[in-house]
Amino acid sequence: MTLLFCSTTDRADDWLGELDRRMPGLEVRVWPEMGDPADIDMALVWKPPQGLLASLPNLKLIVSLGAGVESMLLDPTLPDVPLVRMVSEGLTLDMAGFVALQVLRWHRQLDEYKAQQAAQTWTQLGHKPASEVTVGFLGLGELGTASARTLLSMDYRVLGWSRTPKSVHGVESYSGAEGLPRMLAQCDLLVCLLPLTDGTRGVLNRDLFAALPRGAVVINAARGGHLVEADLLEALDSGHLRGASLDVFAEEPLPPGHPFWSHPRIHVTPHIAAVTHPSRSAHIVVDAITALRDGRPLPNLVNRKQGY
């Protein structure tokens, strides 16, 4: 069995070491030095060049290095072979920690205290206890559920919206078109952790922002395609939204001169909310390979019609 590794953001040497430790003898080739394409029957990739996977005539399995697979699904040449997405405890813990960090940043007014430090001003600002702060989640999948539970443990009031009804202990759940505005109207902070599909693209738009209470904060750690950038800037500049934390963008890296870089009420991070660490995730790849080899159902198999 021969695996092709292709990513411009992940360190190949780290992955090769972890895979060799768990599956000795597995041959791994690192793109673009892949030798005879006919030798390759599996691919471990993140945003591979369009057409690359179609050039592998004996490909039997694709494993994504991330939880999102929408960039591959947009490749019209994508081979019709099983596609597995990365779902690991490490990614989930990273995301839950990132979401909690951003919620605390806005709830505990850390920007204001940073400005006070610069001005050498000592003023204790009033704030609500966590139990009086409502955080809403768009998306109650693996990442959304774990992040919601983390905030519940910190005594926040947590709401969640999903396409179809879901039950998460402690979370007030809403679903469908009729449930979304009911949830939004209550949110002090809104966290987007939806998969990016035709139905969710552009969901963070003018109408959604208007449905939030004045002074709400938006946190997007899902995909840049969820956000209509001009609508966010308008909502911030009008004062309807208090701020935004953005980890994902329509164009990455975020281009120089983009208004998000310098906006005083936007926090930018470079797509680091949940990072696929080889030491915590290589077993996911090995599980997929052994399931394929043994003819067992593949874990975390992507439903291409749903997009996740």
Side-chain angles (χ1 to χ4, degrees):
M1 304 180 81
T2 301
L3 176 74
L4 176 67
F5 180 92
C6 177
S7 172
T8 59
T9 57
D10 298 270
R11 289 174 53 89
D13 288 348
D14 292 343
W15 276 98
L16 267 60
E18 292 294 337
L19 289 172
D20 183 64
R21 190 162 66 85
R22 291 168 171 80
M23 201 171 208
L26 175 66
E27 182 179 356
V28 183
R29 299 179 185 177
V30 179
W31 181 84
E33 303 298 327
M34 60 184 188
D36 186 351
D39 295 340
I40 296 167
D41 36 29
M42 301 169 297
L44 176 61
V45 298
W46 177 245
K47 295 185 176 180
Q50 284 200 0
L52 172 64
L53 297 173
S55 73
L56 309 174
N58 295 315
L59 190 66
K60 300 180 182 66
L61 173 68
I62 305 167
V63 181
S64 171
L65 281 160
V69 294
E70 65 279 352
S71 63
M72 276 189 282
L73 294 178
L74 290 173
D75 182 353
T77 70
L78 184 68
D80 186 18
V81 300
L83 171 59
V84 169
R85 66 190 184 97
M86 186 64 66
V87 178
S88 74
E89 183 181 7
L91 275 175
T92 303
L93 290 171
D94 270 3
M95 182 61 78
F98 180 85
V99 169
L101 171 67
Q102 299 307 319
V103 168
L104 286 167
R105 167 183 280 181
W106 291 104
H107 169 212
R108 300 303 297 268
Q109 305 170 85
L110 296 188
D111 284 358
E112 287 86 346
Y113 284 119
K114 185 65 177 177
Q116 285 192 21
Q117 179 182 346
Q120 300 185 39
T121 300
W122 183 282
T123 302
Q124 295 181 350
L125 304 175
H127 77 279
K128 295 179 180 180
S131 60
E132 296 177 17
V133 176
T134 300
V135 183
F137 281 84
L138 295 176
L140 285 175
E142 183 87 13
L143 299 178
T145 296
S147 300
R149 286 173 173 158
T150 296
L151 293 181
L152 284 171
S153 74
M154 299 165 68
D155 206 30
Y156 286 97
R157 179 184 178 222
V158 180
L159 316 181
W161 179 88
S162 51
R163 183 174 54 86
T164 57
K166 290 191 176 179
S167 178
V168 178
H169 181 71
V171 176
E172 300 175 42
S173 297
Y174 300 80
S175 63
E178 71 287 347
L180 182 57
R182 292 169 53 208
M183 186 190 81
L184 294 174
Q186 305 175 67
C187 295
D188 299 304
L189 300 102
L190 180 70
V191 181
C192 181
L193 287 176
L194 289 165
L196 183 61
T197 66
D198 290 342
T200 65
R201 191 176 297 277
V203 66
L204 299 176
N205 57 33
R206 180 183 289 108
D207 291 342
L208 181 142
F209 299 147
L212 291 167
R214 186 174 182 83
V217 170
V218 171
I219 300 168
N220 187 19
R223 288 291 180 265
H226 288 120
L227 176 65
V228 180
E229 295 182 348
D231 290 359
L232 175 64
L233 291 169
E234 178 184 297
L236 289 168
D237 292 343
S238 72
H240 183 72
L241 293 182
R242 179 161 68 98
S245 291
L246 306 177
D247 185 59
V248 289
F249 305 91
E251 183 179 352
E252 296 183 0
L254 190 63
H258 193 288
F260 287 172
W261 283 120
S262 57
H263 199 288
R265 285 185 286 167
I266 294 178
H267 289 287
V268 169
T269 48
H271 205 142
I272 48 78
V275 178
T276 306
H277 296 283
S279 61
R280 298 190 304 186
S281 304
H283 70 282
I284 301 294
V285 181
V286 172
D287 287 348
I289 293 173
T290 54
L292 177 72
R293 182 192 63 195
D294 298 342
R296 293 184 283 106
L298 290 164
N300 309 313
L301 186 66
V302 171
N303 182 321
R304 296 197 184 197
K305 290 184 179 179
Q306 292 181 343
Y308 56 92

